[in-house]
Amino acid sequence: MEKRTCLYCHEPMRGRSDKKFCCVQCKSSYHNQSTSSIEAYVRSVNKQLRANRSAMHRACPEGKATVRKEFLKKLGMDFKHLTHTWKSKGGNLYYFCYDYGYTQSSEVGKVLVIQQQHYMI
Ligand SMILES: [Zn+2]
């Protein structure tokens, strides 16, 4: 039979075969650790979403602007993260971070950045 070890301290365990932890302390330490790593991940995504919003705001102070994707990246934009999408009547899909969004521009390497309008919500 395979030797089972505690998921937290990795010490060998005796007792019920479905046990995952050697003691209550190890169980709670393990769950605290995994909760804090999830929270750290959520915080890092939130931070990036705010950075994306800030980059688009700086690139587009007048509410609408065509800019190079590289320029947004230099301002801290990470195109992986967004809060929601919106499709225009013309069928263009916009990717938003809060109240700023972008869509592919017809110009290669550029995007059209817009500030969200009330009719988009
Ligand atoms: Zn343990």
Side-chain angles (χ1 to χ4, degrees), residues 53-117:
R53 192 261 170 206
S54 165
M56 287 193 280
H57 172 66
R58 278 193 279 165
C60 177
E62 305 292 329
K64 195 172 191 178
T66 300
V67 297
R68 302 194 65 81
K69 287 181 86 170
E70 285 304 318
F71 179 63
L72 284 175
K73 282 183 189 167
K74 279 199 182 107
L75 292 175
M77 181 95 177
D78 175 350
F79 288 90
K80 282 200 306 284
H81 293 93
L82 56 130
T83 57
H84 61 288
T85 57
W86 176 77
K87 202 177 223 176
S88 70
K89 278 184 185 152
N92 288 328
L93 192 59
Y94 285 79
Y95 302 93
F96 277 88
C97 286
Y98 305 107
D99 60 331
Y100 278 87
Y102 71 90
T103 191
Q104 294 300 326
S105 165
S106 52
E107 296 174 68
V108 176
K110 290 187 176 184
V111 291
L112 172 64
V113 179
I114 57 166
Q115 189 172 16
Q116 185 165 263
Q117 304 298 309

Side-chain angles (χ1 to χ4, degrees), residues 6 8-11 21-23 26:
C6 171
Y8 187 71
C9 71
H10 307 292
E11 289 295 316
F21 304 96
C22 67
C23 61
C26 278

Side-chain angles (χ1 to χ4, degrees), residues 1-67:
M1 202 178 111
E2 199 183 322
K3 246 191 181 168
R4 291 173 307 108
T5 56
C6 171
L7 279 180
Y8 187 71
C9 71
H10 307 292
E11 289 295 316
M13 291 192 304
R14 293 162 201 273
R16 281 197 347 253
S17 62
D18 58 341
K19 262 177 77 172
K20 291 177 184 165
F21 304 96
C22 67
C23 61
V24 178
Q25 284 83 354
C26 278
K27 186 177 179 176
S28 81
S29 299
Y30 180 86
H31 288 296
N32 288 342
Q33 193 183 56
S34 55
T35 303
S36 65
S37 70
I38 290 166
E39 279 166 6
Y41 172 70
V42 169
R43 266 197 304 277
S44 78
V45 171
N46 286 343
K47 193 177 165 196
Q48 186 58 56
L49 287 170
R50 281 194 295 272
N52 285 359
R53 192 261 170 206
S54 165
M56 287 193 280
H57 172 66
R58 278 193 279 165
C60 177
E62 305 292 329
K64 195 172 191 178
T66 300
V67 297

